[in-house]
Amino acid sequence: MQPTLLILAAGMASRYGSLKQIQQFGPSGETIVDYSIYDAIRAGFGKIVFIIRKDFEKEFKEIFEPKLKGRVATDYVYQEMGAYLNGYPMPADRSKPWGTAHAVLCAKDAIKEPFAVINADDFYGRDSFEKAAAFLKNDAKPDVYSVIGYQLSKTISEHGSVSRGVCAADSHSNLAAINERTKVYKDGDQIVYEDADGSKHAMSPDTPVSMNFWGFHPSVFDLSQNLFKDFLQKDGDKPKSEFFIPIVVDHFIKNKLGVVNVIPTAAQWFGVTYKEDAPGVQESLSALVKSGEYPDNLWK
């Protein structure tokens, strides 16, 4: 059994204006998601499923099909606003998608095997894909999911504060809770998070944080579908409400439906939180290419 990688890419066009302008960071014009796909293939993932929007399907396939044809199976699913509403009336003032857990739910008919979920615009590192693949092949069950836990110090921007989901783990390295810290930054030699009242709290550099790299058994789809019904009844009329993956995971844990393994990695995460981050991303990838971690042309 080869696991599947589900890539959340439905927001790519809105972030970049045009898919043909996806920022190129690698020496041969690679985007960040190219590195994730490359790492996934060599870690043993057998299929890549992209979650996209129907309105940029043609452009998207023109970018990725030539690279991936013959290398790995691919599929495309669409995060449409009306998917899985099951009779709930579409709010007239709704303009944005329903969130990451809804995006995952939209892949229900495309995935029948254990799978990982990542963001399209985050660099996760080879170690994370190898550990995720091993978990999905050997340990994923209807009552056992996972999250890759990054060291906080390896996820900080030099150019401003970031939001991070801090993973609280129990004595068995299972997730007890995710605490969202919305203003995390370097303050001198320390990493701190700031409360709404401005008070600062020091954080250990090794604190495990979630960067939205999850490992799921396909049983998560039925759970998500049921929880999405509840979400719509409670928050569906709020124009900016979103059904996030941590909502599903929190319910899974708190209702003792199973456990979520926190899988530690020392991999360096990076992404473009601020436009000033872009040169650093390019430099980091150049260094990885020079060290031999990646070829200078991923798809040659």
Side-chain angles (χ1 to χ4, degrees), residues 84 86 105 108 220-230 243:
Y84 291 95
N86 293 311
L105 178 56
K108 181 179 180 181
V220 76
F221 291 121
D222 287 339
L223 174 62
S224 298
Q225 189 168 356
N226 289 331
L227 292 177
F228 187 51
K229 293 178 188 175
D230 297 339
F243 182 51

Side-chain angles (χ1 to χ4, degrees), residues 5-9 99-101 103-104 116-122 124 129 146-150 155 163-165 167 178 180 209-216 243-247 249 269:
L5 179 65
L6 180 61
I7 301 177
L8 304 183
T100 54
V104 171
V117 179
I118 63 166
N119 296 329
D121 50 2
D122 290 335
Y124 291 100
F129 286 94
S146 71
V147 62
I148 300 293
Y150 284 78
T155 72
S163 295
R164 292 291 177 258
C167 298
I178 291 185
E180 190 70 22
V209 295
S210 166
M211 302 307 297
N212 215 36
F213 194 150
W214 301 93
F216 291 123
F243 182 51
F244 293 118
I245 292 172
I247 293 174
V249 172
W269 171 94

Side-chain angles (χ1 to χ4, degrees), residues 5-10 33 36-37 48-52 116 118-120:
L5 179 65
L6 180 61
I7 301 177
L8 304 183
V33 74
S36 292
I37 296 168
I48 308 295
V49 176
F50 295 98
I51 296 219
I52 60 174
I118 63 166
N119 296 329

Side-chain angles (χ1 to χ4, degrees), residues 166 181-185 191-195 198-203:
V166 177
R181 304 301 184 196
T182 57
K183 195 171 184 181
V184 181
Y185 57 92
I191 299 174
V192 302
Y193 74 86
E194 193 173 307
D195 282 332
S199 59
K200 298 177 183 178
H201 308 269
M203 304 178 73

Side-chain angles (χ1 to χ4, degrees), residues 108-186:
K108 181 179 180 181
D109 293 335
I111 300 176
K112 306 302 180 186
E113 58 283 319
F115 67 102
V117 179
I118 63 166
N119 296 329
D121 50 2
D122 290 335
F123 179 90
Y124 291 100
R126 180 177 184 173
D127 180 66
S128 298
F129 286 94
E130 290 178 345
K131 288 179 174 175
F135 167 82
L136 294 168
K137 290 175 183 178
N138 301 315
D139 300 315
K141 299 172 185 172
D143 59 350
V144 184
Y145 301 162
S146 71
V147 62
I148 300 293
Y150 284 78
Q151 296 173 6
L152 175 63
S153 62
K154 296 190 175 182
T155 72
I156 297 296
S157 171
E158 297 291 335
H159 304 288
S161 66
V162 295
S163 295
R164 292 291 177 258
V166 177
C167 298
D170 63 20
S171 59
H172 300 288
S173 297
N174 293 322
L175 189 66
I178 291 185
N179 299 307
E180 190 70 22
R181 304 301 184 196
T182 57
K183 195 171 184 181
V184 181
Y185 57 92
K186 281 188 175 179

